[in-house]
Amino acid sequence: IENPNETNTGNLAAPAPTYYQLDPRLRSSIDMQGALGIDRQITNTATMNVTYLYSQGVHQYLTNNVNAPFFDSSNDTYENAVGLLLPTTDLNTYQSNGFYRQSQIIASGNARYRHFSLFGFYMYNNALSNTGGVNSSWSNVHDSKLDYGRTTFDVHNRFLILGNIQAPWALSFAPFLAYNSGTPYNITIGD
């Protein structure tokens, strides 16, 4: 009599062992930035700043299983794998093949009066990359273009207002308002 609570593992294949190594072509990541800004005195008590900031990173880190089978990116299924033999080991390699590009527009202003001050900040951000850091890996190790999209730090809108009001009897009030749009997310659906 078979016990229904026991799992029969006799027909299951053992998982492939996993190994980690450094890619012999591993390089230090390079981050480059350029900015162009305008500062303007609006009145005797108010100033404003607008800045455009461009960032680009090359040789960004990721981890790839270099033993993964090659498959047709147009179908994205392992059914079309070239050579139907699956690897006997997972060889995860730390690589520096990632890339990102980021553009930001930052606007800020402040005004100071005798009993009142106000500071405002707004930032629009657009960041695209094909890696999420050293522990991320491409969905198809042979085609990095499939994973080029919004990064985890691609929060499109940030808004902040700070104030300070000097009240009678040595009281001070500091109103504060902050807004961030949501972070990107990814939905992965299995077969």
Side-chain angles (χ1 to χ4, degrees):
I1 298 176
E2 291 185 19
N3 183 349
N5 296 326
E6 275 186 22
T7 304
N8 182 2
T9 58
N11 293 332
L12 295 178
T18 301
Y19 300 99
Y20 290 85
Q21 70 176 9
L22 292 177
D23 187 337
R25 296 176 304 269
L26 185 73
R27 298 183 56 178
S28 296
S29 63
I30 298 174
D31 297 302
M32 301 164 278
Q33 285 189 329
L36 179 65
I38 299 171
D39 292 308
R40 178 77 176 155
Q41 182 85 29
I42 305 297
T43 67
N44 288 341
T45 58
T47 61
M48 182 177 168
N49 170 280
V50 176
T51 302
Y52 172 75
L53 180 65
Y54 175 80
S55 304
Q56 182 172 308
V58 294
H59 307 299
Q60 301 298 303
Y61 301 124
L62 60 122
T63 304
N64 263 335
N65 180 4
V66 294
N67 276 355
F70 182 82
F71 64 92
D72 181 7
S73 298
S74 63
N75 193 347
D76 290 340
T77 64
Y78 282 100
E79 295 168 4
N80 296 331
V82 175
L84 297 176
L85 297 176
L86 293 178
T88 57
T89 61
D90 290 331
L91 186 55
N92 290 325
T93 304
Y94 295 110
Q95 299 177 344
S96 55
N97 299 334
F99 175 83
Y100 80 88
R101 180 175 289 143
Q102 180 180 24
S103 293
Q104 296 174 305
I105 298 174
I106 303 164
S108 64
N110 67 58
R112 297 181 184 276
Y113 301 99
R114 185 173 177 189
H115 297 289
F116 174 73
S117 65
L118 181 67
F119 171 78
F121 170 87
Y122 172 77
M123 180 178 70
Y124 173 77
N125 181 39
N126 183 21
L128 302 172
S129 178
N130 64 359
T131 180
V134 71
N135 291 323
S136 69
S137 59
W138 292 334
S139 57
N140 177 349
V141 300
H142 307 288
D143 190 358
S144 65
K145 296 184 295 290
L146 292 176
D147 291 300
Y148 187 72
R150 291 183 67 188
T151 66
T152 55
F153 54 89
D154 183 28
V155 177
H156 280 320
N157 298 289
R158 295 179 190 264
F159 180 71
L160 173 72
I161 293 181
L162 298 168
N164 189 324
I165 302 168
Q166 297 295 323
W169 304 298
L171 293 175
S172 178
F173 297 97
F176 173 82
L177 173 67
Y179 165 79
N180 291 329
S181 56
T183 57
Y185 61 91
N186 190 10
I187 299 174
T188 304
I189 301 172
D191 291 336

